[in-house]
Amino acid sequence: MDLIIKQARIDDDLPLQDIGIQDGKIVAIAKEINEIADEVIDAKGNVVVPGFIESHLHLDKALIADRMPNKSGTLQEAIRVTGQLKPTFTEEDIYNRAKEALEMIITHGTTTVRTQSEFDPSQGFSGLKTILRLKEEYKNVIDMQVVAFPQEGIFKVPGTKEMMYEAMEMGADVVGGIPYNDSPVEDHIDLVFDIAKHYDKDIDFHQDFSDEADHLSIEYICEKTIKEGYQGRVSVGHLTALHALPDHLLTPIIEKMAKAKINVMSLPATDLHLGGRNDSSNVRRAVTPIRKLRDGGVNVCLSTNNIRNAFTPYGTGDIIQTAMLAIPVSHLGGADDLKTVLPMITTNPAKALRLENYGLAVGKQADLVILDTKIVNHAIIDIPERLFVIKKGNIIVKTTKTTILSKPY
C-alpha cells in the first residue's frame, strides 16, 4: 500500500482501526493491517475524520478588512464598502489574497471548498479568472467548486445577465444568485434556474439575509426547485430571516424545504456580526434556526463565509472554530445535539455539494484529517490541532508541537 494509518479512532463505539490507502483511495479499514506500505502513520489512538468541507466561502474578498473598515457593522455598509473596493482589485491582488486564504483553510484540514466568485461590469471577470487559476494550481491539495456569483444583482446592473452566461462558459461549476439584492425577485430566481438547466449545473443562492421575515422568497425557491426537478441540487446561504418567524409560520416553510431537498449553509460568524444591529435591547442572534431545520429533515451545513473583510472582520480559516461557535449560538451542546455538529462540516456539505467519492469508507477518496483528540464526539469542542491532513492519499499538512507544563512546585 502507499500509506497505512495505524491505530486510528474512527468511531467511539469501535476498537481502534487501521486504514489502508492505495492510489488515492481507501482500500482497507480493519482492526489490524499487516501489509507493507511506503509510509506509515501511527495515529496513537487519535481521531481520524473525513476532510472538512467549506461549503460557502468568498476567497476573492478575503483579507481586505483594513482597507476600508465597516464601521457600523451593518450588512448595508458591508455591501457598500465592498462595492467601492472591488473596482480597485487587480488580478495580482486577488490572487495573493485568495491564495493566502486558501492556504489558511488547507492547513486547518479543509480538503474541499465551494467558493463564491463575484463579477459585474465595474470589475469584470478579474476575480473569476483568478479563482479558476487557483483551482487548477491547487487541484492536488484541495477540490474547488466555483460559484458564478452576481453580488450586485443581475437585472439592476445592466450587462450582468450576459456575464452570467459568460461565467459559465469560462468554467464556473455552480450558478449563484442573490434574490434579496435584486428586482424583480422572482425573475432573478427564474433566470438562475434557466442558466443552471442550460448548463446542467447546481444552484447556490445567498438567501433571505435579513433580521426580519418580511420579504421571503425561500418558498418560491422550494416551489421552483420541485417544478424543475432540481431536488437536492439547490443550496441557500445565510437564510437568517427564518429566525424571526414563529413556529406556526416557520414549520410549513421547513416542510417545503425538506420536500424540495434544499441544502442550508448557515454562516454564524458573519450572521452574528451583522445581525441584530438595530436592536436596542434583547438583541437577536440573527442566525438561521439550525436545530429546527435539522429536526425538520433539512440538510444543514456550517461554513465560514468570509475571512477578515467588511462582512466578517475576523477569522483564521479554521472551520472547527465556526462549528464551535454554532454550538452555543444554536443550542447544540446537548448530548444528543453535539454528535450532529461534526457532520455539518463533513458529510452534510458533501451531500450538498454532491461529492460521490467522499467519506471514511473503503472505496472512497482518501481525504482525511488526523485530529489531536482521542474522542470523536469531542472533535469540535476540543478544537484540536490538525496533526495530519491527507488529500488523495498524500500527506499535505503535518503539524508538530511541543508543550511543556511546568510543575507548580
Side-chain angles (χ1 to χ4, degrees):
M1 295 182 184
D2 296 328
L3 173 66
I4 295 176
I5 303 172
K6 306 288 290 186
Q7 295 292 287
R9 173 69 65 195
I10 65 173
D11 188 311
D12 289 336
D13 296 323
L14 293 176
L16 298 179
Q17 302 286 302
D18 292 353
I19 303 169
I21 297 168
Q22 178 74 31
D23 297 327
K25 301 282 187 180
I26 299 172
V27 295
I29 299 176
K31 191 172 181 180
E32 189 172 8
I33 297 175
N34 293 315
E35 295 189 35
I36 296 173
D38 294 338
E39 192 160 11
V40 176
I41 297 174
D42 184 359
K44 300 178 181 179
N46 283 308
V47 169
V48 177
V49 298
F52 299 130
I53 299 173
E54 280 280 12
S55 53
H56 185 120
L57 190 65
H58 293 261
L59 288 172
D60 54 5
K61 292 193 300 193
L63 307 173
I64 57 171
D66 294 336
R67 296 186 183 183
M68 192 178 291
N70 176 0
K71 295 181 179 180
S72 69
T74 62
L75 173 61
Q76 292 73 26
E77 185 174 351
I79 292 174
R80 178 178 59 79
V81 164
T82 306
Q84 290 177 314
L85 282 174
K86 281 194 295 185
T88 70
F89 296 166
T90 64
E91 288 189 27
E92 181 182 10
D93 173 39
I94 296 170
Y95 178 85
N96 289 334
R97 290 185 291 98
K99 180 177 183 289
E100 182 178 350
L102 193 60
E103 292 181 356
M104 289 167 72
I105 69 172
I106 290 168
T107 57
H108 284 106
T110 293
T111 57
T112 301
V113 59
R114 174 180 282 185
T115 182
Q116 310 279 331
S117 186
E118 297 181 19
F119 51 84
D120 59 62
S122 71
Q123 68 163 344
F125 286 114
S126 56
L128 181 60
K129 289 177 182 177
T130 302
I131 297 304
L132 289 172
R133 173 186 167 189
L134 285 166
K135 176 184 177 181
E136 176 63 21
E137 289 182 5
Y138 279 77
K139 64 183 180 181
N140 292 325
V141 292
I142 190 166
D143 292 323
M144 296 176 63
Q145 290 186 4
V146 181
V147 182
F149 177 50
Q151 169 74 72
E152 308 304 326
I154 298 175
F155 295 108
K156 74 177 188 179
V157 184
T160 305
K161 178 180 177 180
E162 293 74 17
M163 293 183 78
M164 290 289 291
Y165 285 94
E166 190 175 349
M168 303 312 297
E169 293 289 344
M170 290 171 63
D173 303 292
V174 182
V175 185
I178 185 166
Y180 63 82
N181 196 34
D182 204 8
S183 181
V185 170
E186 292 186 358
D187 288 355
H188 181 107
I189 295 167
D190 289 346
L191 177 62
V192 169
F193 270 93
D194 287 345
I195 297 171
K197 288 171 60 184
H198 180 78
Y199 291 98
D200 190 23
K201 299 294 186 181
D202 290 357
I203 292 171
D204 196 313
F205 287 109
H206 284 58
Q207 185 63 35
D208 294 329
F209 190 14
S210 172
D211 289 349
E212 311 299 339
D214 47 6
H215 294 96
L216 299 179
S217 59
I218 185 62
E219 290 180 276
Y220 182 77
I221 286 177
C222 292
E223 295 164 3
K224 186 76 175 177
T225 299
I226 293 171
K227 179 181 178 181
E228 302 295 346
Y230 251 61
Q231 293 94 325
R233 301 187 67 179
V234 178
S235 298
V236 296
H238 297 291
L239 200 66
T240 57
L242 292 194
H243 84 103
L245 290 174
D247 282 349
H248 72 278
L249 296 177
L250 177 61
T251 298
I253 293 176
I254 291 177
E255 290 173 351
K256 290 178 182 178
M257 292 177 66
K259 183 178 180 182
K261 297 182 180 179
I262 303 294
N263 306 294
V264 175
M265 283 69 166
S266 179
L267 313 168
T270 298
D271 299 341
L272 283 166
H273 173 67
L274 298 174
R277 288 287 176 168
N278 294 322
D279 295 342
S280 59
S281 62
N282 196 23
V283 179
R284 290 169 289 179
R285 298 180 178 195
V287 174
T288 199
I290 293 174
R291 282 173 58 97
K292 292 178 180 179
L293 288 164
R294 179 203 66 188
D295 294 346
V298 176
N299 184 39
V300 181
C301 315
L302 296 168
S303 199
T304 298
N305 188 39
N306 285 293
I307 300 173
R308 302 194 186 190
N309 65 14
F311 296 86
T312 320
Y314 40 70
T316 63
D318 186 352
I319 196 171
I320 289 185
Q321 293 276 6
T322 300
M324 182 63 227
L325 179 62
I327 290 174
V329 166
S330 299
H331 294 157
L332 297 172
D336 292 333
D337 293 306
L338 189 58
K339 63 187 178 184
T340 70
V341 179
L342 179 60
M344 292 182 187
I345 59 174
T346 54
T347 52
N348 291 11
K351 179 180 179 181
L353 274 57
R354 301 202 299 147
L355 306 180
E356 295 180 356
N357 294 319
Y358 178 88
L360 184 42
V362 172
K364 300 300 184 181
Q365 185 167 290
D367 294 357
L368 303 169
V369 184
I370 303 178
L371 303 173
D372 189 15
T373 182
K374 307 293 186 183
I375 302 172
V376 175
N377 204 40
H378 291 177
I380 304 298
I381 61 174
D382 281 350
I383 315 181
E385 294 280 356
R386 289 1 78 101
L387 300 177
F388 291 87
V389 181
I390 296 163
K391 180 66 180 178
K392 299 176 183 176
N394 296 311
I395 298 170
I396 60 170
V397 176
K398 182 178 180 180
T399 301
T400 58
K401 69 171 187 175
T402 301
T403 302
I404 300 174
L405 175 63
S406 298
K407 294 182 180 180
Y409 54 85

